[in-house]
Each structure stands twice: as structure tokens, then as C-alpha cells.
Amino acid sequence: MRKGVIRPGHVQIRVLDIEPAVRHYTELVGLIETHRDKPGRVYLKGWTESELFSVVLREAEEAGMDFQGFKVRDDATLTALGRDLRAWGVEVEEIASGELEHCGRRLRFVTPTGHNIELYAEKTYTGPWGISRAEPEAWPRGLRGMRAQRFDHCQLHGLDIEATRDLLSEVLGFYVTEHVLSDDGKNLAIFMSLAMKAHDIALILDDRHGKFHHAAFYLDNWESLLRAGDLLSMTNTSLDTAPTRHGITRGQTTYFFDPSGNRNEAFTGGSTHYPDQQPYVWNEASLGKAIFYHHRKLSDMFMEVLT
Ligand SMILES: [Fe+2]
């Protein structure tokens, strides 16, 4: 936040067939469809989110992530950060206001891990869905499925996560909350945050460059996560990992797949970080426990499937 980047704002996910994808993200994950645009993209949000949308689904030949966007303080900050990104040595593409409906101009760059990250300052403000600003009720009735509160973070795989860490920290003000080191001191995984969350982005060293591991959606609590696991079975949804706990972040998690094979995470809890706290460190030998605190080992599916 010290550079004016506030939080994750949106993710655009490629899906093979739009209608089954919409059903998955609304009826199962519990996001709310807000609108569709002329090219046929579908816009969604979690009920606590204050802007009109946070997830965009685009029908394409191949699954994966098009981009993750972060909200910055204001338009002057956006201009300044564009200048800083170019000075750091990345090319910055300006995308006109309205290309994403109800979103202002965006500045997009490619990270050293090969991912499109973009910044924006303006998006239509709606407030949370289903509760009023004055004297809000505890939660809105009419939520579906897992009742996801918000889009929370993405995990991205590629080469050169350390250069990406440097870019995100030096230019955009992210800081490292937790990381995994190899025996020879190389970063294998880096978790970064803009504020007090355990992570707003996760970077994993992988020679499958520029790939997408998952988008995560925040649920209320452990009970909600257990219920999410029940819903996955009730709907015969393709499962990666049943509800359990992470070592890294200490959050609770379940992983599953959308109908196009993109991995989703339902996530809750997790450590909080004040900015003066030094990052937690895990060693390569404990990677299994770091990821899945109870099983203490990684599954093939978790390691192998990327989109
Ligand atoms: Fe995650």
C-alpha cells in the first residue's frame, strides 16, 4: 500500500464453454453475475466486494488466466506507477477505459514469471451485494453454493520468481509474508501481500513458464469450508484436495476444478501480518507440510495440473 496499490481487484479466467462455467462460479462457488459485455464475457463478484465485479470469464480455446488486476489509489498514482514500471524495465501497455465494462483505463505489464498483471484506479462502485450501507445486516439472504465473500488471490507459476518479487516489492509496494527456500538458498515459492492478508499473490518457481495454478475465493470460516467440501461431493465436482489446512498462511483450504480444468481454491482464515513482521521461512525438505499441514506431502495432481 505504501506505493498506492491497495488490493487485488480482478482476475480474467479463460473457459472453454461459457455457460457451464457461469453455472460453476455462480451456483457452486456462489459468486453473483453482474453483467455481460458485447464480446460475451461474463462479469461476477463475491457478495462482500464493493466494486461491480472482480471475476471475468472469457470463452476461449484454451483454459488459463488472462490477467490479474490490482486496484490503485487514484489516477495520478496509476500514471506514476506506469512511469516507475517503465523505469524498472518492463513494457507497459495502456488499455482504454471501458475495454472491461465499468472499469477505467488499465496499465498492463508482463512479470518475469510470464504473467499479465494490470493496475487500475477506477471501477463502478456498488458496495457489497445484498446489504445496505446504512446499518447493514450480517449477511444477505439468497446467496448460493459456497457463498464466497470475495476473489482473494492467484497462484502463478513460472521462471524467475525472485525478479518478480523484486518488481512487485520495489515498484508496487508488495512485501513478502512467507517463502520456501531450497537447500542452496534459492526461492522456490514466494507469498506476497499489500496489506495485512497472508497473501495477495503467490509465486511458484516452475519451468512451465507463465502458467496459472489457481484463483482463490474467500469463505466465512472453517465450517463454511467443510460445507464447501460437501457441496463438491453433492455436485460430483472434480476434486483436487479435500478440506484441510495449509502450513504456509495457516489458512484452511479445499481445491477443485471448474468445468474447463482451471483450479479454484476455497480459502479461509490465514495469518495476518503487520508490515514490521519478518517473513516466515520454510525449507524445501518441509514443502509437503508447508502446503498441506496435515498430509505433510504434496499430491501429484496439485503439482502437475496447471492451465
Ligand atoms: Fe491459494
Side-chain angles (χ1 to χ4, degrees):
M1 181 57 191
R2 62 203 153 91
K3 307 279 190 183
V5 184
I6 303 171
R7 58 172 175 80
H10 54 241
V11 61
Q12 181 165 300
I13 299 170
R14 294 189 301 274
V15 298
L16 305 179
D17 194 355
I18 196 79
E19 295 308 333
V22 171
R23 284 197 294 278
H24 170 89
Y25 285 97
T26 56
E27 293 173 16
L28 179 62
V29 180
L31 301 178
I32 295 138
E33 180 179 337
T34 61
H35 60 293
R36 298 185 179 208
D37 66 14
K38 281 217 179 69
R41 290 180 297 186
V42 179
Y43 296 64
L44 310 149
K45 71 181 282 180
W47 74 268
T48 66
E49 293 180 293
S50 58
E51 291 180 331
L52 181 63
F53 68 89
S54 62
V55 175
V56 183
L57 303 177
R58 180 173 76 86
E59 193 170 271
E61 296 290 306
E62 207 178 334
M65 184 192 81
D66 280 333
F67 51 80
Q68 184 178 359
F70 291 89
K71 169 101 186 250
V72 310
R73 192 162 41 213
D74 52 30
D75 195 67
T77 304
L78 188 61
T79 300
L81 289 171
R83 206 164 43 226
D84 295 348
L85 285 164
R86 289 184 181 102
W88 197 87
V90 289
E91 273 182 46
V92 178
E93 178 192 1
E94 172 138 2
I95 299 158
S97 173
E99 194 280 330
L100 276 176
E101 267 189 15
H102 297 279
C103 186
R105 71 187 179 103
R106 292 129 64 204
L107 298 184
R108 183 182 295 172
F109 60 96
V110 180
T111 62
T113 50
H115 299 92
N116 289 319
I117 297 290
E118 55 179 49
L119 307 175
Y120 72 96
E122 286 164 14
K123 191 185 285 179
T124 299
Y125 188 91
T126 56
W129 181 88
I131 58 170
S132 56
R133 185 170 169 202
E135 302 181 10
E137 300 297 350
W139 39 267
R141 285 184 280 187
L143 293 171
R144 295 192 283 177
M146 299 179 189
R147 307 167 185 157
Q149 287 190 16
R150 63 169 188 260
F151 160 59
D152 191 80
H153 65 268
C154 287
Q155 180 171 315
L156 308 175
H157 286 219
L159 301 167
D160 222 348
I161 60 172
E162 293 180 349
T164 302
R165 171 202 60 197
D166 295 345
L167 172 61
L168 295 180
S169 57
E170 290 166 18
V171 182
L172 301 182
F174 286 75
Y175 68 97
V176 177
T177 54
E178 214 148 345
H179 58 152
V180 181
L181 293 178
S182 68
D183 298 339
D184 56 358
K186 198 165 59 167
N187 275 282
L188 302 175
I190 302 173
F191 293 71
M192 304 187 81
S193 181
L194 287 158
M196 290 182 66
K197 284 166 55 190
H199 56 337
D200 290 316
I201 193 166
L203 305 167
I204 309 296
L205 183 65
D206 197 320
D207 52 16
R208 295 168 295 175
H209 192 60
K211 299 298 273 186
F212 176 54
H213 189 272
H214 66 266
F217 302 95
Y218 198 83
L219 306 192
D220 292 343
N221 52 42
W222 169 244
E223 189 71 28
S224 312
L225 206 75
L226 184 65
R227 187 175 164 281
D230 296 339
L231 285 164
L232 292 169
S233 281
M234 285 179 199
T235 54
N236 285 316
T237 299
S238 175
L239 180 74
D240 181 327
T241 308
T244 184
R245 184 193 284 280
H246 287 305
I248 295 174
T249 73
R250 300 197 289 270
Q252 294 124 41
T253 180
T254 181
Y255 290 101
F256 51 98
F257 295 97
D258 78 6
S260 307
N262 293 300
R263 188 185 286 94
N264 296 159
E265 177 181 25
F267 178 78
T268 191
S271 50
T272 53
H273 295 256
Y274 285 114
D276 59 331
Q277 183 176 346
Q278 295 186 10
Y280 293 117
V281 188
W282 295 83
N283 295 312
E284 184 173 8
S286 306
L287 189 61
K289 186 172 176 179
I291 304 294
F292 296 121
Y293 189 67
H294 299 154
H295 288 281
R296 283 164 272 142
K297 60 179 183 227
L298 297 168
S299 70
D300 291 344
M301 187 184 282
F302 184 81
M303 297 302 284
E304 282 165 18
V305 179
L306 299 175
T307 57

